[in-house]
Amino acid sequence: MTEYPPPPPGNYPPPPPGNYPPPGNYPPPGPGGPAGQPNNNLVWAILVTVFCCLPFGIVSIVKATQVSGLWGQGRYAEAQKSADDAKKFAVWGAIAGVIVAVIYAIFSFTVGADAFSYS
């Protein structure tokens, strides 16, 4: 067993009893504290950007990438808001993509039917 040297002379307070964590910035315990990092919805943001609507998808990606950084800084409310915004813009982008696809299909059908009627 290793012997520790005696403490240096001086008036140092004794360590706290028990097995406490070192002092630091920890989330508040109990029901008031955050349960866990929110879902950043990055996958949905990327899919919307690639397949549906580029502008809404880019905004959604930016919001989704902010979630982890804000959570790590202890800004839990802002991280949750960024996650919610990322999801909102992804949903708006998906809806916009579907609307544009329906309008394109109607336009293509109309122009195609019009081209065959005058031949």
Side-chain angles (χ1 to χ4, degrees):
M1 185 169 202
T2 306
E3 291 290 326
Y4 292 107
N11 192 8
Y12 295 104
N19 208 4
Y20 295 106
N25 187 12
Y26 295 103
Q37 182 173 344
N39 181 7
N40 60 7
N41 300 300
L42 185 60
V43 172
W44 290 112
I46 292 171
L47 291 175
V48 165
T49 304
V50 172
F51 293 115
C52 296
C53 183
L54 188 66
F56 285 124
I58 289 174
V59 174
S60 183
I61 288 175
V62 169
K63 293 291 187 182
T65 56
Q66 291 175 349
V67 173
S68 295
L70 291 170
W71 188 265
Q73 294 173 5
R75 297 160 55 183
Y76 306 116
E78 294 177 36
Q80 183 63 51
K81 184 175 182 330
S82 287
D84 293 341
D85 287 346
K87 184 176 182 179
K88 174 179 65 174
F89 281 107
V91 168
W92 286 1
I95 291 171
V98 169
I99 289 172
V100 168
V102 168
I103 291 172
Y104 179 76
I106 292 171
F107 179 75
S108 297
F109 180 75
T110 305
V111 169
D114 189 40
F116 283 116
S117 66
Y118 292 115
S119 35

